[in-house]
Amino acid sequence: MDYILTARSLGKRYKNFKALDDFSIHVPEGAIYGFVGKNGAGKTTFIRLVCGLQEPSAGGYSLYGTENSDPGISRCRRRMGAVVETPSIYLDMTAEDNMKEQYRIIGLPSFDSIPDLLRLVGLENTGKKKARHFSLGMKQRLGIAIALAGNPDFLILDEPVNGLDPQGIIEVRELILKLNREKGITFLISSHILDELSRLATHYGFIDSGHMVKEMSAAELDAACRKCVRVQVSDVRVLSRVLDEMDMEYRILSDTMADIFAKINISQLALALADQECDIISLDEREESLESYYVNLIGGRNRNE
């Protein structure tokens, strides 16, 4: 497998705080890589290192096979675009003028491709409207258009749907999928909105406290996300005793509800509960979500440390 971006034993320290600690990552070419972690886990720190905004304290990373210590790394960065934290746009300029300014900054000789880029991100009809009057979703799409100047084949997006309304989220999602499928652009997407990320990602990396906990493909995640039966009862304490006697794995959710991670004989369970005057109110087959998988993965890691 070819990787656009890798890191090994990467570290970043700020005085006495380790933002990244023995960090590793492998972003396959052509992937939409979901970079998952809570706020403060180290996601933005890593992105800033890759973009050349900061230098590592330890270890290194490789971009297109070029080490970060190689003088040629700056040339490799021209093949990538990024929207870090917030889109870098001029609010008193139109979408077209923002694009022209970016073209000047990176030294592109012609503005001919700007109309096509604005059409690609759905901003071709904004005319003389200033960016300050754009919706958040439009600003995010303009930020992506600016990142696409120079025709990169790798885009890094830091929390691209944070703060967007449902329509804005859909627009950004469809744009990312379009760029990936039609243009072959590889994405590294940092996000803590896991439900939305699960609609996009082909690969995942789970980071916690500056350390990569686990990397996996979407197919591997689907296999790992266990199916369960969510049961609501009149007394979850009785349910807990009965499931312990049956040697079944479960997770208590509330005073009346639990998830059971096993094939169950419903009649047998109902009889066992009835013997202890506990009623089944409802049963529902469910599949573990990305969010619950992440919580269990990180929560289990924290409990073991």
Side-chain angles (χ1 to χ4, degrees):
M1 184 179 293
D2 293 327
Y3 296 108
I4 277 187
L5 174 64
T6 61
R8 70 252 163 243
S9 303
L10 190 63
K12 180 61 180 177
R13 178 187 288 272
Y14 301 99
K15 294 186 178 179
N16 295 323
F17 173 67
K18 285 185 178 180
L20 292 175
D21 182 21
D22 195 26
F23 176 83
S24 63
I25 195 171
H26 305 81
V27 179
E29 184 178 358
I32 299 177
Y33 189 104
F35 195 25
V36 182
K38 59 189 176 183
N39 290 336
K43 304 189 301 296
T44 299
T45 295
F46 174 66
I47 288 171
R48 292 177 68 82
L49 293 182
V50 175
C51 292
L53 300 175
Q54 295 178 342
E55 292 296 324
S57 304
Y61 61 87
S62 172
L63 186 63
Y64 298 103
T66 299
E67 297 295 321
N68 65 290
S69 56
D70 191 308
I73 192 67
S74 58
R75 187 167 57 251
C76 291
R77 290 198 185 102
R78 294 180 195 146
R79 295 178 58 186
M80 60 177 273
V83 181
V84 183
E85 297 179 302
T86 57
S88 298
I89 60 178
Y90 297 97
L91 296 178
D92 288 325
M93 289 185 179
T94 65
E96 182 178 357
D97 286 342
N98 265 281
M99 294 300 299
K100 287 180 178 178
E101 188 64 24
Q102 179 65 11
Y103 273 46
R104 293 187 188 101
I105 289 170
I106 62 178
L108 294 179
S110 168
F111 297 149
D112 291 349
S113 60
I114 288 178
D116 289 337
L117 264 182
L118 291 177
R119 192 175 302 112
L120 182 65
V121 300
L123 295 175
E124 69 274 23
N125 296 319
T126 54
K128 296 186 181 299
K129 186 175 183 179
K130 300 291 180 64
R132 71 168 57 257
H133 301 302
F134 286 6
S135 68
L136 286 176
M138 292 169 69
K139 289 176 182 175
Q140 192 65 261
R141 285 184 281 130
L142 178 56
I144 292 174
I146 290 170
L148 287 169
N151 198 29
D153 47 25
F154 179 37
L155 279 184
I156 297 177
L157 304 180
D158 188 15
E159 302 287 356
V161 300
N162 199 23
L164 300 189
D165 61 21
Q167 182 59 35
I169 290 173
I170 292 170
E171 291 170 355
V172 171
R173 179 205 310 156
E174 290 179 347
L175 175 58
I176 291 169
L177 290 172
K178 180 178 182 180
L179 292 171
N180 178 254
R181 292 167 180 170
E182 297 181 11
K183 303 290 186 181
I185 293 176
T186 302
F187 283 86
L188 173 69
I189 302 176
S190 159
S191 182
H192 65 276
I193 304 175
L194 303 188
D195 179 61
E196 178 58 29
L197 196 57
S198 68
R199 301 170 190 265
L200 290 168
T202 62
H203 295 75
Y204 295 93
F206 299 94
I207 181 176
D208 185 50
S209 301
H211 185 76
M212 182 65 79
V213 179
K214 193 174 185 66
E215 289 186 289
M216 63 200 314
S217 68
E220 290 170 331
L221 178 64
D222 287 343
C225 284
R226 300 172 296 173
K227 292 183 178 180
C228 69
V229 174
R230 178 158 294 180
V231 57
Q232 186 175 8
V233 295
S234 57
D235 190 338
V236 79
R237 292 171 299 179
V238 174
L239 175 66
S240 178
R241 289 198 300 269
V242 168
L243 293 176
D244 285 339
E245 290 169 2
M246 292 181 169
D247 196 27
M248 288 187 179
E249 184 182 356
Y250 62 92
R251 180 170 66 241
I252 301 298
L253 303 175
S254 71
D255 291 341
T256 61
M257 197 170 294
D259 285 341
I260 304 172
F261 299 97
K263 289 184 178 180
I264 60 174
N265 184 315
I266 296 174
S267 297
Q268 182 183 3
L269 178 62
L271 286 171
L273 291 173
D275 284 343
Q276 300 191 41
E277 300 181 347
C278 179
D279 298 324
I280 294 179
I281 299 170
S282 66
L283 285 167
D284 180 27
E285 285 192 347
R286 303 173 67 91
E287 192 165 338
E288 192 173 24
S289 66
L290 170 59
E291 185 171 359
S292 60
Y293 178 84
Y294 169 73
V295 168
N296 289 332
L297 178 68
I298 302 302
R301 178 174 182 263
N302 289 340
R303 283 193 298 270
N304 292 330
E305 288 181 343

